[in-house]
Amino acid sequence: TIHPMALEKKARAMIKADSSFECYCRFKDSHDWLEELKGNDLLLFLRPFDPCWFDDDYTSLCVDGWFLDEEGYYCDDYGSVEEEEDCEAKDVFTGLPATELCCGCGGGVRYGDTRDEL
């Protein structure tokens, strides 16, 4: 299963791949309590915040990129941004702006309509 795999050092590179986060986000919001628990544990093991943002009817998903600004804020702190200038902050490691990496600022990795896949 995924949870024990997260503990294996050899599997960490594969697990951390951004392309896998869509699956992890769906585990986290599963109707099955055990899958939900595994998804939450895995995401918290990999990142200090929840990177998953579903729209209101769960038809699309946005996953935050890796982001930490100079004030110590992660993408989830930009989740309900009201002022555009708040999204001008840059990641301290890559220099990329929140507008590219954070869903709350219009960035992140977006997955389209997935109703047929559920």
Side-chain angles (χ1 to χ4, degrees):
T1 64
I2 289 180
H3 185 263
M5 189 169 79
L7 301 177
E8 289 291 324
K9 288 184 179 183
K10 296 177 201 171
R12 287 186 185 164
M14 180 184 73
I15 291 171
K16 288 182 179 181
D18 287 338
S19 61
S20 302
F21 273 88
E22 179 181 13
C23 177
Y24 307 152
C25 292
R26 298 215 181 275
F27 269 120
K28 177 191 76 75
D29 284 352
S30 173
H31 295 292
D32 179 278
W33 69 270
L34 185 57
E35 295 302 319
E36 178 184 1
L37 180 66
K38 290 177 188 178
N40 277 315
D41 285 352
L42 179 60
L43 285 169
L44 289 174
F45 177 76
L46 293 174
R47 294 197 181 174
F49 61 91
D50 181 357
C52 310
W53 301 88
F54 287 95
D55 65 0
D56 290 338
D57 58 358
Y58 275 74
T59 57
S60 62
L61 166 69
C62 183
V63 177
D64 286 326
W66 293 91
F67 180 86
L68 177 66
D69 70 15
E70 63 184 19
E71 295 180 16
Y73 292 109
Y74 298 104
C75 278
D76 67 331
D77 296 310
Y78 291 89
S80 58
V81 172
E82 294 177 15
E83 300 292 327
E84 265 187 54
E85 61 235 16
D86 291 339
C87 291
E88 293 175 3
K90 297 190 184 305
D91 178 69
V92 294
F93 300 105
T94 65
L96 294 173
T99 54
E100 286 186 38
L101 299 172
C102 301
C103 297
C105 293
V109 178
R110 299 186 181 275
Y111 300 93
D113 192 337
T114 57
R115 286 178 285 194
D116 295 335
E117 298 172 21
L118 297 177

